Amino acid sequence: MTVATYTVTGMTCGHCVSAVTEEVSAIPGVSGVEIDLSTGAVVVTSEHDLERTAVAAAVDEAGYRLV
């Protein structure tokens, strides 16, 4: 089990959180996503280390950007 924290910019509401959660959760091996809207912190729990590019692509698909 691996836990990694990323920072996402541009999220301003619950809809933003839902969109990012949905896209990041769709990455194979991801078992949990927790987001702190006030800081932009996205904590991802997965079965193995994730490629940063995969997380960035998922966040981009949701309409936001990984810092």
Side-chain angles (χ1 to χ4, degrees), residues 6 8 17-35 42-45 50 54-62 66:
Y6 304 90
V8 173
V17 170
S18 294
V20 172
T21 299
E22 181 179 333
E23 292 298 333
V24 174
S25 294
I27 298 171
V30 171
S31 59
V33 177
E34 294 181 28
I35 297 177
V42 178
V43 179
V44 180
T45 304
L50 299 174
V55 177
V59 170
D60 185 63
E61 183 67 24
L66 193 68

